[in-house]
Amino acid sequence: MNKKPLILMISLLLSSLLVSAASYTEPDLKALLLSNNLKLKQAISEQDLSTLEVKDAKAGYGPTVDLEVSGTYLANPMDTLSFELPFPLGSSTPVTIDTGLTNTLYNFSLTLTQPLWTWGKLKNGVAMTEKLVQIRQAQRFALQKSLLSELSSRLYAHHYLLAMEGLFDEEQKLAQTLVTLAEEGVSNGMLLKEEALSAKVSLRQIALAKTQVANQRQQQRRAIANLCNITIDEDDELVGELDQEQLRSLLSYDLKTLQALATAKSQEQVRIANLMTDLAALASSVAEGSLYWKPDMAMQVSLGYGGSKFLFVERDDYTFNVSVGMKSTIYDGGKKFHEVSRKAIKEEQSYFDKDQMVQALLTQVEEAYLALHLADESLAYLSLKREAALSEGEQKRLLFVSGYGYEADLVKAELARVAIECEMEQQWLAYTGAFATITYLCGLENRLL
């Protein structure tokens, strides 16, 4: 038995499996985004860094221990001191004092400093870092929610742009048929040359529109790949069908309800704004605790040694001290007053920022709400228009089949119908964009594909 054909078939099968196109569903892409997105990874790193700052702040409650060690070599130590007394006492023999110095000199110092009272600066400092952790966590969740919403919105756009490409293919074939009929009419003397030229211009216009839509679809694919930090080839498929029933579910909400949902305290953007105002208030408290005549108190315990012998050899050169002290700024040109005023202004600004953010949310929800209902009205209008175009196209077809109509009229009717369907896809694209915006801002479940 010849094994070469079998080996060749197996090789071809394996190669086809290796180069087969991948398919991605919306849950697949969301899982890839949550695990691979670079902005999300950076937000997680920022949150981890803020957690370390909390640990640093809490460490201020405990003591600080410092150790200093030094060793000196003396090339010519003064081991004795000799001098004569100005008033000799029975003898003029010089007095000699042994300094105890040798060629080596060691110094050791161990100091423990424990804060006792700081006017709430330590407590408020810890609270500020804890607020910062909450802010970083809320910002991470807000970013995650925003990225998932962007992914869904781009998937919807890709879906409708792909449908529009198919319609443009159909429209292009019909326009080519119309060009052929027009050229035949010109050659037969039944049509003017300008009519054939107009048909060619329409064909080129359709080709241009198709290219623009294809470029937009490629941009959506590229953006989706960047969001998930993966490579999506042209042959890879983005799988999913839109649930139009759920898509229309937002029409049952009134504007006031949606705005109330968007500005609820549980929403990430509102929660971040509230945390920022709390952080500014704590910063003001820290500044007030540093005002004049508000001393910080601390206890310091020190153990030292200095001598020519190494540690633990001599016993007479040790020192042990316990001290309690305080430190306060009395005057610095008014800088501390200025700092308190600066923090108070920033606290007030945080409330302004919060109010502006709420106003922006209300505006965005209203704009998306109006766009949603406008697209819905446009779709209702275009649906009737398409029904009329279908009826007209059927009439033209019957006339053409019976021999009483022209093929060109039938093709024009079909072109009108396809143009209406393309416009409907554009309106669905606008509808899904507004839908994604509202579900993101209001925290509603977004699951269409």
Side-chain angles (χ1 to χ4, degrees), residues 16-25 28 32 221 230-239:
S16 65
L17 290 175
L18 290 175
V19 298
S20 60
S23 61
Y24 299 97
T25 63
D28 295 336
L32 288 170
R221 291 175 70 90
I230 59 175
T231 300
I232 299 179
D233 298 326
E234 180 60 30
D235 295 334
D236 295 340
E237 184 182 6
L238 302 180
V239 183

mmCIF file with all atom_site columns, all heavy atoms in Angstrom, residues 16-25 28 32 221 230-239:
data_model
loop_
_atom_site.group_PDB
_atom_site.id
_atom_site.type_symbol
_atom_site.label_atom_id
_atom_site.label_alt_id
_atom_site.label_comp_id
_atom_site.label_asym_id
_atom_site.label_entity_id
_atom_site.label_seq_id
_atom_site.pdbx_PDB_ins_code
_atom_site.Cartn_x
_atom_site.Cartn_y
_atom_site.Cartn_z
_atom_site.occupancy
_atom_site.B_iso_or_equiv
_atom_site.pdbx_formal_charge
_atom_site.auth_seq_id
_atom_site.auth_comp_id
_atom_site.auth_asym_id
_atom_site.auth_atom_id
_atom_site.pdbx_PDB_model_num
ATOM 1   N N   . SER A 1 16  ? -4.874  22.854 7.120  1.00 0.00 ? 16  SER A N   1
ATOM 2   C CA  . SER A 1 16  ? -6.153  23.569 7.039  1.00 0.00 ? 16  SER A CA  1
ATOM 3   C C   . SER A 1 16  ? -6.710  23.885 8.414  1.00 0.00 ? 16  SER A C   1
ATOM 4   O O   . SER A 1 16  ? -7.330  24.932 8.626  1.00 0.00 ? 16  SER A O   1
ATOM 5   C CB  . SER A 1 16  ? -7.166  22.740 6.237  1.00 0.00 ? 16  SER A CB  1
ATOM 6   O OG  . SER A 1 16  ? -7.475  21.538 6.928  1.00 0.00 ? 16  SER A OG  1
ATOM 7   N N   . LEU A 1 17  ? -6.484  22.994 9.365  1.00 0.00 ? 17  LEU A N   1
ATOM 8   C CA  . LEU A 1 17  ? -6.938  23.253 10.730 1.00 0.00 ? 17  LEU A CA  1
ATOM 9   C C   . LEU A 1 17  ? -6.156  24.395 11.363 1.00 0.00 ? 17  LEU A C   1
ATOM 10  O O   . LEU A 1 17  ? -6.687  25.202 12.127 1.00 0.00 ? 17  LEU A O   1
ATOM 11  C CB  . LEU A 1 17  ? -6.811  21.983 11.582 1.00 0.00 ? 17  LEU A CB  1
ATOM 12  C CG  . LEU A 1 17  ? -7.800  20.855 11.246 1.00 0.00 ? 17  LEU A CG  1
ATOM 13  C CD1 . LEU A 1 17  ? -7.474  19.625 12.080 1.00 0.00 ? 17  LEU A CD1 1
ATOM 14  C CD2 . LEU A 1 17  ? -9.247  21.296 11.493 1.00 0.00 ? 17  LEU A CD2 1
ATOM 15  N N   . LEU A 1 18  ? -4.860  24.461 11.038 1.00 0.00 ? 18  LEU A N   1
ATOM 16  C CA  . LEU A 1 18  ? -4.014  25.490 11.630 1.00 0.00 ? 18  LEU A CA  1
ATOM 17  C C   . LEU A 1 18  ? -4.365  26.879 11.106 1.00 0.00 ? 18  LEU A C   1
ATOM 18  O O   . LEU A 1 18  ? -4.251  27.866 11.819 1.00 0.00 ? 18  LEU A O   1
ATOM 19  C CB  . LEU A 1 18  ? -2.534  25.174 11.351 1.00 0.00 ? 18  LEU A CB  1
ATOM 20  C CG  . LEU A 1 18  ? -1.958  23.970 12.102 1.00 0.00 ? 18  LEU A CG  1
ATOM 21  C CD1 . LEU A 1 18  ? -0.535  23.691 11.640 1.00 0.00 ? 18  LEU A CD1 1
ATOM 22  C CD2 . LEU A 1 18  ? -1.984  24.199 13.617 1.00 0.00 ? 18  LEU A CD2 1
ATOM 23  N N   . VAL A 1 19  ? -4.782  26.951 9.839  1.00 0.00 ? 19  VAL A N   1
ATOM 24  C CA  . VAL A 1 19  ? -5.056  28.253 9.247  1.00 0.00 ? 19  VAL A CA  1
ATOM 25  C C   . VAL A 1 19  ? -6.553  28.558 9.219  1.00 0.00 ? 19  VAL A C   1
ATOM 26  O O   . VAL A 1 19  ? -6.979  29.505 8.579  1.00 0.00 ? 19  VAL A O   1
ATOM 27  C CB  . VAL A 1 19  ? -4.488  28.326 7.810  1.00 0.00 ? 19  VAL A CB  1
ATOM 28  C CG1 . VAL A 1 19  ? -2.991  28.151 7.824  1.00 0.00 ? 19  VAL A CG1 1
ATOM 29  C CG2 . VAL A 1 19  ? -5.138  27.279 6.902  1.00 0.00 ? 19  VAL A CG2 1
ATOM 30  N N   . SER A 1 20  ? -7.372  27.721 9.866  1.00 0.00 ? 20  SER A N   1
ATOM 31  C CA  . SER A 1 20  ? -8.811  27.947 9.837  1.00 0.00 ? 20  SER A CA  1
ATOM 32  C C   . SER A 1 20  ? -9.139  29.241 10.576 1.00 0.00 ? 20  SER A C   1
ATOM 33  O O   . SER A 1 20  ? -8.475  29.633 11.528 1.00 0.00 ? 20  SER A O   1
ATOM 34  C CB  . SER A 1 20  ? -9.544  26.774 10.477 1.00 0.00 ? 20  SER A CB  1
ATOM 35  O OG  . SER A 1 20  ? -9.145  26.623 11.824 1.00 0.00 ? 20  SER A OG  1
ATOM 36  N N   . ALA A 1 21  ? -10.189 29.902 10.102 1.00 0.00 ? 21  ALA A N   1
ATOM 37  C CA  . ALA A 1 21  ? -10.591 31.179 10.685 1.00 0.00 ? 21  ALA A CA  1
ATOM 38  C C   . ALA A 1 21  ? -11.188 30.976 12.075 1.00 0.00 ? 21  ALA A C   1
ATOM 39  O O   . ALA A 1 21  ? -11.861 29.984 12.340 1.00 0.00 ? 21  ALA A O   1
ATOM 40  C CB  . ALA A 1 21  ? -11.603 31.863 9.776  1.00 0.00 ? 21  ALA A CB  1
ATOM 41  N N   . ALA A 1 22  ? -10.926 31.915 12.940 1.00 0.00 ? 22  ALA A N   1
ATOM 42  C CA  . ALA A 1 22  ? -11.467 31.873 14.297 1.00 0.00 ? 22  ALA A CA  1
ATOM 43  C C   . ALA A 1 22  ? -12.805 32.607 14.323 1.00 0.00 ? 22  ALA A C   1
ATOM 44  O O   . ALA A 1 22  ? -13.088 33.465 13.486 1.00 0.00 ? 22  ALA A O   1
ATOM 45  C CB  . ALA A 1 22  ? -10.495 32.516 15.274 1.00 0.00 ? 22  ALA A CB  1
ATOM 46  N N   . SER A 1 23  ? -13.634 32.269 15.281 1.00 0.00 ? 23  SER A N   1
ATOM 47  C CA  . SER A 1 23  ? -14.912 32.946 15.476 1.00 0.00 ? 23  SER A CA  1
ATOM 48  C C   . SER A 1 23  ? -15.007 33.402 16.923 1.00 0.00 ? 23  SER A C   1
ATOM 49  O O   . SER A 1 23  ? -14.619 32.675 17.841 1.00 0.00 ? 23  SER A O   1
ATOM 50  C CB  . SER A 1 23  ? -16.075 32.012 15.128 1.00 0.00 ? 23  SER A CB  1
ATOM 51  O OG  . SER A 1 23  ? -16.070 30.870 15.963 1.00 0.00 ? 23  SER A OG  1
ATOM 52  N N   . TYR A 1 24  ? -15.508 34.619 17.108 1.00 0.00 ? 24  TYR A N   1
ATOM 53  C CA  . TYR A 1 24  ? -15.602 35.225 18.433 1.00 0.00 ? 24  TYR A CA  1
ATOM 54  C C   . TYR A 1 24  ? -17.050 35.631 18.697 1.00 0.00 ? 24  TYR A C   1
ATOM 55  O O   . TYR A 1 24  ? -17.664 36.326 17.885 1.00 0.00 ? 24  TYR A O   1
ATOM 56  C CB  . TYR A 1 24  ? -14.708 36.461 18.542 1.00 0.00 ? 24  TYR A CB  1
ATOM 57  C CG  . TYR A 1 24  ? -13.233 36.188 18.346 1.00 0.00 ? 24  TYR A CG  1
ATOM 58  C CD1 . TYR A 1 24  ? -12.634 36.381 17.109 1.00 0.00 ? 24  TYR A CD1 1
ATOM 59  C CD2 . TYR A 1 24  ? -12.441 35.743 19.394 1.00 0.00 ? 24  TYR A CD2 1
ATOM 60  C CE1 . TYR A 1 24  ? -11.280 36.140 16.915 1.00 0.00 ? 24  TYR A CE1 1
ATOM 61  C CE2 . TYR A 1 24  ? -11.089 35.506 19.225 1.00 0.00 ? 24  TYR A CE2 1
ATOM 62  C CZ  . TYR A 1 24  ? -10.514 35.702 17.987 1.00 0.00 ? 24  TYR A CZ  1
ATOM 63  O OH  . TYR A 1 24  ? -9.178  35.461 17.799 1.00 0.00 ? 24  TYR A OH  1
ATOM 64  N N   . THR A 1 25  ? -17.578 35.210 19.830 1.00 0.00 ? 25  THR A N   1
ATOM 65  C CA  . THR A 1 25  ? -18.887 35.673 20.283 1.00 0.00 ? 25  THR A CA  1
ATOM 66  C C   . THR A 1 25  ? -18.692 36.840 21.241 1.00 0.00 ? 25  THR A C   1
ATOM 67  O O   . THR A 1 25  ? -17.567 37.126 21.683 1.00 0.00 ? 25  THR A O   1
ATOM 68  C CB  . THR A 1 25  ? -19.658 34.551 20.977 1.00 0.00 ? 25  THR A CB  1
ATOM 69  O OG1 . THR A 1 25  ? -18.935 34.148 22.160 1.00 0.00 ? 25  THR A OG1 1
ATOM 70  C CG2 . THR A 1 25  ? -19.821 33.343 20.053 1.00 0.00 ? 25  THR A CG2 1
ATOM 71  N N   . ASP A 1 28  ? -17.089 35.750 24.469 1.00 0.00 ? 28  ASP A N   1
ATOM 72  C CA  . ASP A 1 28  ? -15.665 35.473 24.271 1.00 0.00 ? 28  ASP A CA  1
ATOM 73  C C   . ASP A 1 28  ? -14.861 36.767 24.307 1.00 0.00 ? 28  ASP A C   1
ATOM 74  O O   . ASP A 1 28  ? -13.816 36.857 24.980 1.00 0.00 ? 28  ASP A O   1
ATOM 75  C CB  . ASP A 1 28  ? -15.444 34.772 22.926 1.00 0.00 ? 28  ASP A CB  1
ATOM 76  C CG  . ASP A 1 28  ? -16.075 33.390 22.882 1.00 0.00 ? 28  ASP A CG  1
ATOM 77  O OD1 . ASP A 1 28  ? -16.276 32.797 23.964 1.00 0.00 ? 28  ASP A OD1 1
ATOM 78  O OD2 . ASP A 1 28  ? -16.382 32.909 21.783 1.00 0.00 ? 28  ASP A OD2 1
ATOM 79  N N   . LEU A 1 32  ? -11.995 38.156 26.977 1.00 0.00 ? 32  LEU A N   1
ATOM 80  C CA  . LEU A 1 32  ? -10.664 38.568 26.532 1.00 0.00 ? 32  LEU A CA  1
ATOM 81  C C   . LEU A 1 32  ? -10.363 39.998 26.963 1.00 0.00 ? 32  LEU A C   1
ATOM 82  O O   . LEU A 1 32  ? -9.236  40.316 27.361 1.00 0.00 ? 32  LEU A O   1
ATOM 83  C CB  . LEU A 1 32  ? -10.570 38.446 25.009 1.00 0.00 ? 32  LEU A CB  1
ATOM 84  C CG  . LEU A 1 32  ? -10.517 37.017 24.452 1.00 0.00 ? 32  LEU A CG  1
ATOM 85  C CD1 . LEU A 1 32  ? -10.680 37.023 22.936 1.00 0.00 ? 32  LEU A CD1 1
ATOM 86  C CD2 . LEU A 1 32  ? -9.202  36.345 24.830 1.00 0.00 ? 32  LEU A CD2 1
ATOM 87  N N   . ARG A 1 221 ? -13.443 46.588 13.582 1.00 0.00 ? 221 ARG A N   1
ATOM 88  C CA  . ARG A 1 221 ? -12.714 45.337 13.882 1.00 0.00 ? 221 ARG A CA  1
ATOM 89  C C   . ARG A 1 221 ? -11.377 45.641 14.557 1.00 0.00 ? 221 ARG A C   1
ATOM 90  O O   . ARG A 1 221 ? -10.969 44.960 15.503 1.00 0.00 ? 221 ARG A O   1
ATOM 91  C CB  . ARG A 1 221 ? -12.493 44.536 12.598 1.00 0.00 ? 221 ARG A CB  1
ATOM 92  C CG  . ARG A 1 221 ? -13.765 43.951 12.004 1.00 0.00 ? 221 ARG A CG  1
ATOM 93  C CD  . ARG A 1 221 ? -13.486 43.274 10.680 1.00 0.00 ? 221 ARG A CD  1
ATOM 94  N NE  . ARG A 1 221 ? -12.722 42.053 10.844 1.00 0.00 ? 221 ARG A NE  1
ATOM 95  C CZ  . ARG A 1 221 ? -13.255 40.847 11.025 1.00 0.00 ? 221 ARG A CZ  1
ATOM 96  N NH1 . ARG A 1 221 ? -14.575 40.719 11.102 1.00 0.00 ? 221 ARG A NH1 1
ATOM 97  N NH2 . ARG A 1 221 ? -12.497 39.780 11.147 1.00 0.00 ? 221 ARG A NH2 1
ATOM 98  N N   . ILE A 1 230 ? -5.858  41.603 21.161 1.00 0.00 ? 230 ILE A N   1
ATOM 99  C CA  . ILE A 1 230 ? -5.661  40.398 20.354 1.00 0.00 ? 230 ILE A CA  1
ATOM 100 C C   . ILE A 1 230 ? -5.549  40.819 18.896 1.00 0.00 ? 230 ILE A C   1
ATOM 101 O O   . ILE A 1 230 ? -5.728  41.992 18.550 1.00 0.00 ? 230 ILE A O   1
ATOM 102 C CB  . ILE A 1 230 ? -6.823  39.394 20.511 1.00 0.00 ? 230 ILE A CB  1
ATOM 103 C CG1 . ILE A 1 230 ? -8.155  40.038 20.094 1.00 0.00 ? 230 ILE A CG1 1
ATOM 104 C CG2 . ILE A 1 230 ? -6.903  38.871 21.943 1.00 0.00 ? 230 ILE A CG2 1
ATOM 105 C CD1 . ILE A 1 230 ? -9.322  39.081 20.095 1.00 0.00 ? 230 ILE A CD1 1
ATOM 106 N N   . THR A 1 231 ? -5.262  39.843 18.048 1.00 0.00 ? 231 THR A N   1
ATOM 107 C CA  . THR A 1 231 ? -5.220  40.069 16.603 1.00 0.00 ? 231 THR A CA  1
ATOM 108 C C   . THR A 1 231 ? -6.429  39.400 15.966 1.00 0.00 ? 231 THR A C   1
ATOM 109 O O   . THR A 1 231 ? -6.643  38.201 16.150 1.00 0.00 ? 231 THR A O   1
ATOM 110 C CB  . THR A 1 231 ? -3.928  39.500 15.994 1.00 0.00 ? 231 THR A CB  1
ATOM 111 O OG1 . THR A 1 231 ? -2.799  40.138 16.606 1.00 0.00 ? 231 THR A OG1 1
ATOM 112 C CG2 . THR A 1 231 ? -3.890  39.737 14.492 1.00 0.00 ? 231 THR A CG2 1
ATOM 113 N N   . ILE A 1 232 ? -7.226  40.174 15.253 1.00 0.00 ? 232 ILE A N   1
ATOM 114 C CA  . ILE A 1 232 ? -8.391  39.657 14.544 1.00 0.00 ? 232 ILE A CA  1
ATOM 115 C C   . ILE A 1 232 ? -8.115  39.764 13.045 1.00 0.00 ? 232 ILE A C   1
ATOM 116 O O   . ILE A 1 232 ? -8.000  40.870 12.506 1.00 0.00 ? 232 ILE A O   1
ATOM 117 C CB  . ILE A 1 232 ? -9.671  40.428 14.918 1.00 0.00 ? 232 ILE A CB  1
ATOM 118 C CG1 . ILE A 1 232 ? -9.964  40.283 16.416 1.00 0.00 ? 232 ILE A CG1 1
ATOM 119 C CG2 . ILE A 1 232 ? -10.862 39.927 14.104 1.00 0.00 ? 232 ILE A CG2 1
ATOM 120 C CD1 . ILE A 1 232 ? -11.198 41.030 16.871 1.00 0.00 ? 232 ILE A CD1 1
ATOM 121 N N   . ASP A 1 233 ? -7.975  38.636 12.395 1.00 0.00 ? 233 ASP A N   1
ATOM 122 C CA  . ASP A 1 233 ? -7.719  38.613 10.956 1.00 0.00 ? 233 ASP A CA  1
ATOM 123 C C   . ASP A 1 233 ? -9.004  38.863 10.186 1.00 0.00 ? 233 ASP A C   1
ATOM 124 O O   . ASP A 1 233 ? -10.115 38.771 10.722 1.00 0.00 ? 233 ASP A O   1
ATOM 125 C CB  . ASP A 1 233 ? -7.097  37.280 10.552 1.00 0.00 ? 233 ASP A CB  1
ATOM 126 C CG  . ASP A 1 233 ? -5.750  37.048 11.224 1.00 0.00 ? 233 ASP A CG  1
ATOM 127 O OD1 . ASP A 1 233 ? -5.030  38.044 11.436 1.00 0.00 ? 233 ASP A OD1 1
ATOM 128 O OD2 . ASP A 1 233 ? -5.433  35.887 11.545 1.00 0.00 ? 233 ASP A OD2 1
ATOM 129 N N   . GLU A 1 234 ? -8.846  39.134 8.888  1.00 0.00 ? 234 GLU A N   1
ATOM 130 C CA  . GLU A 1 234 ? -10.010 39.416 8.055  1.00 0.00 ? 234 GLU A CA  1
ATOM 131 C C   . GLU A 1 234 ? -10.925 38.208 7.945  1.00 0.00 ? 234 GLU A C   1
ATOM 132 O O   . GLU A 1 234 ? -12.151 38.348 7.837  1.00 0.00 ? 234 GLU A O   1
ATOM 133 C CB  . GLU A 1 234 ? -9.541  39.852 6.656  1.00 0.00 ? 234 GLU A CB  1
ATOM 134 C CG  . GLU A 1 234 ? -10.663 40.170 5.683  1.00 0.00 ? 234 GLU A CG  1
ATOM 135 C CD  . GLU A 1 234 ? -11.563 41.302 6.162  1.00 0.00 ? 234 GLU A CD  1
ATOM 136 O OE1 . GLU A 1 234 ? -11.071 42.191 6.885  1.00 0.00 ? 234 GLU A OE1 1
ATOM 137 O OE2 . GLU A 1 234 ? -12.766 41.275 5.832  1.00 0.00 ? 234 GLU A OE2 1
ATOM 138 N N   . ASP A 1 235 ? -10.351 37.007 7.998  1.00 0.00 ? 235 ASP A N   1
ATOM 139 C CA  . ASP A 1 235 ? -11.160 35.797 7.879  1.00 0.00 ? 235 ASP A CA  1
ATOM 140 C C   . ASP A 1 235 ? -11.861 35.430 9.189  1.00 0.00 ? 235 ASP A C   1
ATOM 141 O O   . ASP A 1 235 ? -12.765 34.593 9.183  1.00 0.00 ? 235 ASP A O   1
ATOM 142 C CB  . ASP A 1 235 ? -10.291 34.615 7.425  1.00 0.00 ? 235 ASP A CB  1
ATOM 143 C CG  . ASP A 1 235 ? -9.734  34.822 6.021  1.00 0.00 ? 235 ASP A CG  1
ATOM 144 O OD1 . ASP A 1 235 ? -10.378 35.560 5.248  1.00 0.00 ? 235 ASP A OD1 1
ATOM 145 O OD2 . ASP A 1 235 ? -8.667  34.265 5.712  1.00 0.00 ? 235 ASP A OD2 1
ATOM 146 N N   . ASP A 1 236 ? -11.448 36.024 10.287 1.00 0.00 ? 236 ASP A N   1
ATOM 147 C CA  . ASP A 1 236 ? -12.078 35.720 11.569 1.00 0.00 ? 236 ASP A CA  1
ATOM 148 C C   . ASP A 1 236 ? -13.495 36.295 11.606 1.00 0.00 ? 236 ASP A C   1
ATOM 149 O O   . ASP A 1 236 ? -13.759 37.383 11.090 1.00 0.00 ? 236 ASP A O   1
ATOM 150 C CB  . ASP A 1 236 ? -11.255 36.292 12.721 1.00 0.00 ? 236 ASP A CB  1
ATOM 151 C CG  . ASP A 1 236 ? -9.890  35.622 12.827 1.00 0.00 ? 236 ASP A CG  1
ATOM 152 O OD1 . ASP A 1 236 ? -9.743  34.513 12.283 1.00 0.00 ? 236 ASP A OD1 1
ATOM 153 O OD2 . ASP A 1 236 ? -8.981  36.223 13.424 1.00 0.00 ? 236 ASP A OD2 1
ATOM 154 N N   . GLU A 1 237 ? -14.372 35.569 12.261 1.00 0.00 ? 237 GLU A N   1
ATOM 155 C CA  . GLU A 1 237 ? -15.787 35.932 12.268 1.00 0.00 ? 237 GLU A CA  1
ATOM 156 C C   . GLU A 1 237 ? -16.205 36.423 13.647 1.00 0.00 ? 237 GLU A C   1
ATOM 157 O O   . GLU A 1 237 ? -15.844 35.846 14.669 1.00 0.00 ? 237 GLU A O   1
ATOM 158 C CB  . GLU A 1 237 ? -16.642 34.715 11.870 1.00 0.00 ? 237 GLU A CB  1
ATOM 159 C CG  . GLU A 1 237 ? -18.121 35.014 11.763 1.00 0.00 ? 237 GLU A CG  1
ATOM 160 C CD  . GLU A 1 237 ? -18.932 33.779 11.406 1.00 0.00 ? 237 GLU A CD  1
ATOM 161 O OE1 . GLU A 1 237 ? -18.335 32.670 11.366 1.00 0.00 ? 237 GLU A OE1 1
ATOM 162 O OE2 . GLU A 1 237 ? -20.146 33.918 11.177 1.00 0.00 ? 237 GLU A OE2 1
ATOM 163 N N   . LEU A 1 238 ? -16.966 37.514 13.644 1.00 0.00 ? 238 LEU A N   1
ATOM 164 C CA  . LEU A 1 238 ? -17.574 38.031 14.865 1.00 0.00 ? 238 LEU A CA  1
ATOM 165 C C   . LEU A 1 238 ? -19.033 37.566 14.868 1.00 0.00 ? 238 LEU A C   1
ATOM 166 O O   . LEU A 1 238 ? -19.862 38.073 14.111 1.00 0.00 ? 238 LEU A O   1
ATOM 167 C CB  . LEU A 1 238 ? -17.487 39.554 14.918 1.00 0.00 ? 238 LEU A CB  1
ATOM 168 C CG  . LEU A 1 238 ? -16.069 40.135 14.848 1.00 0.00 ? 238 LEU A CG  1
ATOM 169 C CD1 . LEU A 1 238 ? -16.111 41.652 14.908 1.00 0.00 ? 238 LEU A CD1 1
ATOM 170 C CD2 . LEU A 1 238 ? -15.196 39.584 15.960 1.00 0.00 ? 238 LEU A CD2 1
ATOM 171 N N   . VAL A 1 239 ? -19.323 36.583 15.720 1.00 0.00 ? 239 VAL A N   1
ATOM 172 C CA  . VAL A 1 239 ? -20.604 35.877 15.673 1.00 0.00 ? 239 VAL A CA  1
ATOM 173 C C   . VAL A 1 239 ? -21.610 36.577 16.577 1.00 0.00 ? 239 VAL A C   1
ATOM 174 O O   . VAL A 1 239 ? -21.273 37.032 17.673 1.00 0.00 ? 239 VAL A O   1
ATOM 175 C CB  . VAL A 1 239 ? -20.432 34.406 16.113 1.00 0.00 ? 239 VAL A CB  1
ATOM 176 C CG1 . VAL A 1 239 ? -21.748 33.656 15.998 1.00 0.00 ? 239 VAL A CG1 1
ATOM 177 C CG2 . VAL A 1 239 ? -19.363 33.730 15.272 1.00 0.00 ? 239 VAL A CG2 1
#
